[in-house]
Amino acid sequence: MTFKAVIFTLVGAGLCAVGVFVFLIASDASSTSTERSVQAPLVEVAEVSEVTRFPALTTTGFVRPADALTLTVEVSGRVVEIHKRFEIGAHLEAGTKIIALDPTLYEAEVLRAESALQGARSRVSQAENALSRQQQLAQNDFASEARIEELEATLAGAVAEEGAARASLIVAKDQVADTVVTVPFPFVVLSEQVSFGALVSAGQSLGEVARNDVAEVRTALTERDYRSFRAAGGMMGRVIRVGDADSDMWAEATITAIAPQLDGAARMVDVIATLQDPFRQDVPLLLNSVVDVEIPLPDTGQSVLSLPLDALQTGQRVWRVDEEKRLRAVDFTIERRTETELFILSDALQPGDRVLTTALQIQVEGREVRLTERTDHGEG
């Protein structure tokens, strides 16, 4: 072999060695990149926000009249008067005379009862005088015991007759009063079922009315929610919001009653709130309608943070993603959850921090991740 051939052989061998070395480095780099890709999964995160309004328990309720009456009369008669505004939807003052029946027959009964009472009183007076004379005669032995007993019985009968006459007069006067129909509170007319000149019977329905200055909102809480409120100071007197979440029209109501028992198979606690002026124009609520109800949660004095519900990972854990894109476990207390949001108290999170929302099979402290920012979570 010539010297030149030897040189070419050595050069070729060197180039081959360099190629192998470069290949090994590239393979190692590829392997490292692949391993890093496996160790750093692509995940979604969401930004933590602080609620601007304290979170509330959201549920549904029903608007019910605080007082509702079916108008009837306790006597029979012909309708001789109907208030000109007695029509569906009309609002009238307390004590307004709505309907009047012809009182002639009942006024005659009053006169008859008054006459009977006067006669009974006269007979009582006569019996008292007769008994008094006999008792005076008896003191001088001019009257018998039998006669005195007879007069005493006569007086007792006259007194009883007077009592019956007085009762009849009371009934007769009440019947005259019953010919006029009034309502003891301000009201709205729900229905009217009477015409002028109609002959109505005792107990017949003439219409329906409901109180118009207040209404009731009835809702229900789970036993767990009720106990949470009770532990935080109770619910009586708490102001809630009632209305339509879609139109953002709300009115305030005050909780005035809580059922002392669990109701139904669902074991719910009934809650009643009083709604003032339910028919005002800015919140057009309808009786018997379904409404959204927001009951503010007890104020803990701490900042409440809002996260998307899928930030709550397996094992009821929340993971913060730090500046180095590594997972950090967070200590927290759940304040409230909805179908989409989680409200928590935590000293380990601040508004603007990022939390993991992708469900990973392996969740360990310090694990590296790659981020794709999520933008669909707003402030609570």
Side-chain angles (χ1 to χ4, degrees):
M1 178 180 295
T2 63
F3 176 76
K4 190 177 294 185
V6 172
I7 293 299
F8 282 127
T9 300
L10 292 175
V11 171
L15 291 174
C16 182
V18 170
V20 170
F21 179 75
V22 171
F23 173 79
L24 291 175
I25 291 177
S27 298
D28 184 68
S30 176
S31 176
T32 302
S33 176
T34 302
E35 182 180 357
R36 183 175 302 163
S37 177
V38 172
Q39 293 178 345
L42 186 65
V43 299
E44 288 186 343
V45 296
E47 188 174 291
V48 177
S49 61
E50 184 175 10
V51 297
T52 55
R53 179 172 55 83
F54 206 77
L57 184 148
T58 302
T59 182
T60 57
F62 301 89
V63 180
R64 296 283 190 258
D67 288 295
L69 287 178
T70 297
L71 301 180
T72 60
V73 286
E74 297 185 28
V75 295
S76 300
R78 191 170 301 279
V79 177
V80 295
E81 184 179 349
I82 299 177
H83 194 282
K84 62 182 180 180
R85 293 188 56 221
F86 183 58
E87 55 189 15
I88 295 175
H91 292 258
L92 297 172
E93 297 297 325
T96 300
K97 182 167 70 172
I98 305 171
I99 297 166
L101 305 184
D102 185 355
T104 303
L105 293 177
Y106 303 105
E107 290 173 343
E109 288 297 323
V110 170
L111 294 176
R112 185 178 294 109
E114 288 176 341
S115 178
L117 179 59
Q118 290 176 358
R121 285 173 176 171
S122 177
R123 285 185 287 276
V124 168
S125 179
Q126 291 174 356
E128 288 176 340
N129 292 334
L131 178 61
S132 178
R133 285 195 302 270
Q134 289 298 317
Q135 288 173 339
Q136 290 176 358
L137 292 173
Q139 293 176 358
N140 298 318
D141 296 328
F142 290 113
S144 66
E145 289 294 331
R147 179 57 180 164
I148 291 177
E149 290 177 357
E150 180 183 353
L151 291 175
E152 287 177 343
T154 299
L155 176 60
V159 170
E161 185 180 354
E162 180 188 11
R166 186 180 296 109
S168 296
L169 178 59
I170 292 173
V171 171
K173 288 182 176 180
D174 284 345
Q175 288 179 328
V176 172
D178 289 339
T179 62
V180 176
V181 178
T182 62
V183 178
F185 46 73
F187 62 94
V188 59
V189 180
L190 303 181
S191 68
E192 50 88 15
Q193 304 160 6
V194 64
S195 301
F196 183 83
L199 184 63
V200 299
S201 303
Q204 178 179 335
S205 175
L206 307 178
E208 295 181 336
V209 300
R211 190 163 187 155
N212 67 4
D213 57 341
V214 293
E216 290 182 351
V217 178
R218 294 176 175 263
T219 187
L221 300 179
T222 64
E223 184 178 4
R224 177 180 178 182
D225 287 332
Y226 169 71
R227 292 185 184 279
S228 296
F229 279 109
R230 189 176 66 178
M235 299 187 68
M236 291 294 292
R238 187 180 295 272
V239 177
I240 67 175
R241 298 207 312 160
V242 179
D244 183 1
D246 293 333
S247 62
D248 199 29
M249 299 181 68
W250 299 93
E252 290 187 345
T254 303
I255 295 177
T256 53
I258 300 173
Q261 62 182 1
L262 293 173
D263 184 38
R267 298 183 63 79
M268 304 291 281
V269 180
D270 290 331
V271 177
I272 300 174
T274 298
L275 178 65
Q276 300 291 332
D277 196 11
F279 297 100
R280 64 182 186 270
Q281 294 300 314
D282 58 329
V283 185
L285 298 177
L286 297 174
L287 294 178
N288 300 322
S289 63
V290 179
V291 292
D292 296 313
V293 176
E294 288 189 354
I295 306 176
L297 295 171
D299 190 351
T300 61
Q302 294 180 263
S303 296
V304 178
L305 303 175
S306 174
L307 320 174
L309 187 59
D310 50 8
L312 189 62
Q313 302 286 338
T314 302
Q316 298 290 293
R317 306 191 72 177
V318 170
W319 295 92
R320 179 174 67 89
V321 179
D322 65 14
E323 294 78 4
E324 298 179 354
K325 300 179 182 178
R326 294 185 180 276
L327 300 182
R328 303 300 176 190
V330 173
D331 292 328
F332 65 95
T333 300
I334 296 178
E335 185 68 28
R336 174 61 47 191
R337 72 175 74 188
T338 68
E339 294 181 356
T340 59
E341 287 186 285
L342 181 70
F343 299 99
I344 67 171
L345 304 175
S346 177
D347 294 329
L349 284 177
Q350 299 293 329
D353 285 348
R354 297 174 298 185
V355 291
L356 179 70
T357 59
T358 300
L360 296 178
Q361 292 184 350
I362 301 176
Q363 300 174 8
V364 294
E365 181 75 18
R367 183 177 185 184
E368 185 179 2
V369 294
R370 292 179 298 131
L371 306 185
T372 172
E373 293 291 341
R374 173 175 172 165
T375 59
D376 62 346
H377 176 61
E379 190 173 279

